[in-house]
Each structure stands twice: as C-alpha cells, then as structure tokens.
Amino acid sequence: MATFTMLTSVALISFDGVGIIWSLLVLTIIYYVGKMVWLALFSPLASYPGPSLRAWTKIPAIYTTISGHDHEIFTALHQKYGPVVRIAPKELSFASGSPAFQDIYGSRRPGQPKPFKPRNWYGKSSNGADSLITADDSTHHRQRKILSNSFSDKALKEQEPLLKRWAEKMAMKLRSSATDGAEVDLLKIYNCTAFDLMGDLTFAEDLNMLEEGEYSSWVKAIFSGVKL
C-alpha cells in the first residue's frame, strides 16, 4: 500500500511538471503570436506601406542582408511603395535624406519628441563600456560635447589642406596604375585612402595602406567584425 501511494505521488509530481512545462510553452507561443499581431497591425509602423510579409516577420530582411541584395531589393521596394517603406516589423527604410536624416541622427529641437534609439540594436563592446553610439542619453551628451569641436564647420575647414593632400595621393596612385595598365580595385583604393586619412587625422601618421595597396591587419579585423 505504501509503495502504491509513493508511486502515485511520483506520477502526480511528474504529471504536474509536464503540465507546467506545456502551460509555459503555450503561454510563450501566445505571447509571441500576440506580439507579432500587434507589431504587424497596431504598432505605430502599421500605417507605413510595404510588403505584408515584412510586417509580420524579419526573415525576409535577414535573407536579403545575408544574400547581399539589400541595395537592389530596397530600391525596388521604394519604386513600388514610395519614399518610406516598412522593411521589417520594427524597421523603416527612407529613400530621401531630408528630413529623415535630421530627424533620426540630428540634434533634438525644442519640443520635438526624443528620437527612438533602441540600445539593443547595437552590439555591446567587449569591455562593457558604452561608446558614443551605444551610450544612454546623459553619457552620449557628455561624450558628444567633448568631440563636437572637432567636427565643427571651422575645424573641418582647417583640415581641408590635409584632405586635398590625400585626394592628390589617391589620384597619383590611380594615375600610376593606369599608366602601367594594371587592374584597379576602386573599392580597395577608396578604403585604403579613407583609413590612411583617418590615421593621419587621429595619430598624425598614416597606415601606409594606399602606398602598398593592401589592407592592414587592423582594417581586415574591422571588416571581419562588421561582416560578423
């Protein structure tokens, strides 16, 4: 009798455990389905045009990104739906720079709602410290105030001789390749010039990439990280 009672108790406990697991699973499914319905039909982005499937799931957006055809797909979508297209449940694509660029990336004007910047959109740094991109409002304001003078109109104009010098270096590199009849990877030339220029601006020393026509290990690591 005692053995039967013990086995019955174990069975009930086992059944209760399975019941709890199934209940949690059903609730999870209901939650995600409800969230999908809300995002697709009732969220603030529901009024924007775009393919119906993209309003329900991010799978099409992920596929086009992985396949490398974003630029072609987005162009076709804008031609069909207009200057603003919903490309995912929580994402919009803008075909024009104004006023979208200022609204998204510019400074907040008095009385303007705070721009929406989900911090989970950006990956966390390895040391856990927030950068200018991932920082919260107060930290971002402090960091931006430190850097703002470097990007003022006056400061950028003062760098014009340096920019011209690197543009001339790039032109000489292209002219030399053309004289030799060598094939030129323009993307690599532009990237090498840009990173050498950034090195010159930041450290007063370039990375010697334009001269050698090859990426440094540091830049290769950056490109690999971005791709990942």
Side-chain angles (χ1 to χ4, degrees):
M1 184 66 179
T3 302
F4 175 77
T5 303
M6 184 177 66
L7 290 173
T8 304
S9 300
V10 171
L12 286 172
I13 291 171
S14 176
F15 175 78
D16 288 344
V18 172
I20 291 172
I21 291 172
W22 275 107
S23 298
L24 290 174
L25 181 61
V26 170
L27 287 173
T28 301
I29 293 172
I30 291 173
Y31 168 77
Y32 280 106
V33 170
K35 186 177 180 180
M36 287 175 63
V37 171
W38 183 83
L39 285 172
L41 303 178
F42 303 106
S43 73
L45 301 190
S47 60
Y48 289 93
S52 299
L53 184 60
R54 285 178 175 262
W56 288 89
T57 175
K58 198 174 180 180
I59 292 175
I62 294 172
Y63 172 75
T64 54
T65 298
I66 292 174
S67 65
H69 294 291
D70 271 348
H71 59 295
E72 298 171 352
I73 299 296
F74 288 178
T75 299
L77 290 177
H78 282 294
Q79 289 174 347
K80 182 176 181 180
Y81 293 101
V84 183
V85 178
R86 189 178 189 183
I87 58 171
K90 297 181 180 180
E91 298 174 40
L92 298 174
S93 173
F94 292 84
S96 60
S98 178
F101 189 91
Q102 180 62 33
D103 290 340
I104 297 169
Y105 296 107
S107 301
R108 186 159 61 101
R109 296 182 293 275
Q112 182 187 31
K114 185 180 297 185
F116 177 62
K117 186 183 78 170
R119 296 182 68 195
N120 59 358
W121 178 268
Y122 305 97
K124 264 287 188 184
S125 60
S126 57
N127 62 0
D130 281 318
S131 68
L132 188 67
I133 296 174
T134 62
D136 56 34
D137 287 348
S138 59
T139 305
H140 175 84
H141 178 73
R142 176 177 58 80
Q143 293 174 337
R144 180 169 175 163
K145 189 175 181 181
I146 295 171
L147 294 171
S148 59
N149 288 336
S150 301
F151 296 95
S152 67
D153 186 61
K154 179 177 180 293
L156 291 175
K157 285 180 178 177
E158 289 175 352
Q159 301 299 340
E160 187 174 358
L162 183 68
L163 299 175
K164 283 186 175 180
R165 180 157 57 84
W166 278 105
E168 290 168 359
K169 279 187 177 183
M170 185 180 72
M172 288 176 60
K173 180 73 173 180
L174 291 172
R175 194 177 297 115
S176 174
S177 298
T179 302
D180 296 339
E183 290 187 356
V184 176
D185 184 340
L186 283 176
L187 177 61
K188 180 174 283 188
I189 291 292
Y190 282 129
N191 280 333
C192 288
T193 305
F195 278 97
D196 274 349
L197 173 57
M198 285 190 283
D200 200 350
L201 281 168
T202 309
F203 306 111
E205 182 178 345
D206 64 80
L207 303 174
N208 206 36
M209 294 197 305
L210 180 60
E211 184 66 30
E212 296 179 358
E214 189 54 64
Y215 297 138
S216 73
S217 57
W218 292 97
V219 174
K220 287 179 181 177
I222 291 173
F223 288 156
S224 297
V226 170
K227 186 174 182 180
L228 178 63

